Amino acid sequence: GKVKEKLANLVMFDKATYDKMLKEVPSYKLITPSIVSERMKVRGSLARKALTELVAKGVIRQVVQHHAQTIYTRVTKEGDDEDDAEEEQEEKGKKGKKK
């Protein structure tokens, strides 16, 4: 079979990656542990802990809790209820489409 490339993702945050995470992640519209893991090159478990920390700080908020995947979004000033519905619809739309 084909040889899969190994991912060299970080197990612990270094200062630069941690600062980058604090700055960039709250600006994403759709935030999941897998997205953070991929973009920041960190392990999935570390991405989950980081997102839990950001929720505690009030920088992002949880939209959907599922046993396999948790979905977060950035905190907006007003109209929070409307954003929830839009985020969920977008996520459902992405899962349904196949190329």
Side-chain angles (χ1 to χ4, degrees):
K2 293 181 180 178
V3 178
K4 188 179 177 188
E5 242 182 76
K6 283 288 259 179
L7 292 176
N9 287 353
L10 298 174
V11 182
M12 300 268 296
F13 276 117
D14 53 12
K15 184 80 174 111
T17 311
Y18 186 73
D19 291 340
K20 183 179 174 190
M21 186 270 303
L22 288 177
K23 196 178 101 196
E24 289 183 13
V25 172
S27 67
Y28 299 163
K29 186 164 184 176
L30 176 71
I31 308 166
T32 64
S34 49
I35 288 172
V36 173
S37 171
E38 199 175 289
R39 293 187 188 170
M40 298 290 155
K41 298 284 184 255
V42 296
R43 290 271 172 99
S45 55
L46 186 58
R48 284 196 305 273
K49 298 283 185 210
L51 293 178
T52 306
E53 185 181 314
L54 290 177
V55 169
K57 287 182 178 181
V59 186
I60 62 174
R61 64 188 175 85
Q62 188 172 311
V63 179
V64 178
Q65 173 68 56
H66 188 264
H67 74 90
Q69 190 78 298
T70 313
I71 301 173
Y72 302 92
T73 189
R74 59 187 174 211
V75 172
T76 51
K77 274 72 176 170
E78 290 176 12
D80 283 349
D81 297 336
E82 294 169 19
D83 281 353
D84 270 354
E86 288 175 16
E87 289 287 336
E88 289 178 37
Q89 288 300 320
E90 284 180 20
E91 187 61 24
K92 286 177 185 171
K94 287 179 186 172
K95 286 181 182 172
K97 293 177 184 172
K98 289 186 179 178
K99 288 183 179 179

